[in-house]
Amino acid sequence: MATYVIFGDGRVGVNMASYLEHLGHDVSLLSHEQANENQSDCEMLIEQADIVAAAIPDDKLKTWHDQWSAVIGEKITVHFSGAVIIDGMYGFHPLYSFPKYVLPIETMQEIAFACPLGGPSFGDVFPFASNPNFEIADCDRARYHALAVLSGNLVGYIWNETAKEFAEFSDMPSEKLLENYLTSIVERFVENPTASLTGPIARHDEVTVKENLSALAGNAKLKGLYVAFLTAAWPDFETTGQS
């Protein structure tokens, strides 16, 4: 059994604390307010801990580490950012979009972690956790994180924006209207993760694509996304003059 102190009681911190407790570890989860108002108590918890973790926003990690590094000393110290590199901390990034509620343990066990190349192993930091994990060199972290942003955040943004438009076509809530369709997109990806594209751009249906562009003329944001998609997936398509 290991003893953890986790700073940050947001989505990641709460879920990691619940998971580690399920694995039999002792976990103290500290909110931002607790860390600021009860520093002596936090220092005592750190002194008793085997591992200290920061589940806080990326842009706050450097300041956090500067504040607590003297107390932490030589203990293993980790964060959960996919992009940030901080001397004295090891990044263990869960490749997952966490909800506001606590996930079932079965779900947590399936989440893959990007681990530091040359640092402590996944098992060193999370004993008894059997999650899939892989190593990322510091020189590759920015590219890894950019891929995570594109594959997850960009897709999520497009779903959010198109859901607003779909709401005009039905009294059914957008999440219900789109649930089966978006699930089918994920299923096609699982079947063929590097060639799952379907639809008019995949089949080079010029007439339909031009109609799509014309229909989006009233929404510059979505039309811009569609054009960017065309540029990447069908670079020979001519968009000049399309309104």
Side-chain angles (χ1 to χ4, degrees), residues 52-76:
V52 180
I56 63 178
D58 292 12
D59 59 353
K60 302 293 192 298
L61 282 169
K62 178 64 167 60
T63 300
W64 177 89
H65 186 252
D66 290 344
Q67 178 182 355
W68 295 99
S69 59
V71 180
I72 293 169
E74 299 299 315
K75 296 179 186 291
I76 293 177

Side-chain angles (χ1 to χ4, degrees), residues 68-210:
W68 295 99
S69 59
V71 180
I72 293 169
E74 299 299 315
K75 296 179 186 291
I76 293 177
T77 312
V78 304
H79 62 74
F80 299 105
S81 168
V84 174
I85 299 171
I86 296 177
D87 288 341
M89 297 187 76
Y90 300 103
F92 285 81
H93 181 245
L95 192 56
Y96 197 82
S97 178
F98 285 91
K100 294 180 179 180
Y101 56 84
V102 175
L103 291 167
I105 296 303
E106 294 77 13
T107 301
M108 286 295 299
Q109 290 172 329
E110 297 299 321
I111 295 173
F113 280 78
C115 306
L117 180 64
S121 70
F122 185 82
D124 290 334
V125 175
F126 307 109
F128 314 128
S130 58
N131 298 64
N133 59 92
F134 53 98
E135 294 182 335
I136 297 287
D138 283 355
C139 62
D140 290 327
R141 287 191 75 86
R143 181 165 66 96
Y144 158 77
H145 193 252
L147 294 174
V149 169
L150 284 171
S151 61
N153 301 147
L154 174 59
V155 173
Y157 175 77
I158 293 172
W159 288 0
N160 294 160
E161 292 301 312
T162 54
K164 300 171 186 176
E165 299 287 315
F166 273 109
E168 298 181 10
F169 300 122
S170 173
D171 293 333
M172 187 185 305
S174 295
E175 66 272 20
K176 293 297 183 182
L177 182 65
L178 292 171
E179 182 177 9
N180 285 337
Y181 173 56
L182 298 182
T183 298
S184 73
I185 300 299
V186 175
E187 290 172 348
R188 300 297 78 71
F189 169 78
V190 172
E191 291 170 358
N192 194 341
T194 60
S196 61
L197 183 63
T198 61
I201 294 177
R203 62 178 182 265
H204 286 193
D205 182 343
E206 183 176 350
V207 172
T208 299
V209 168
K210 288 181 177 179

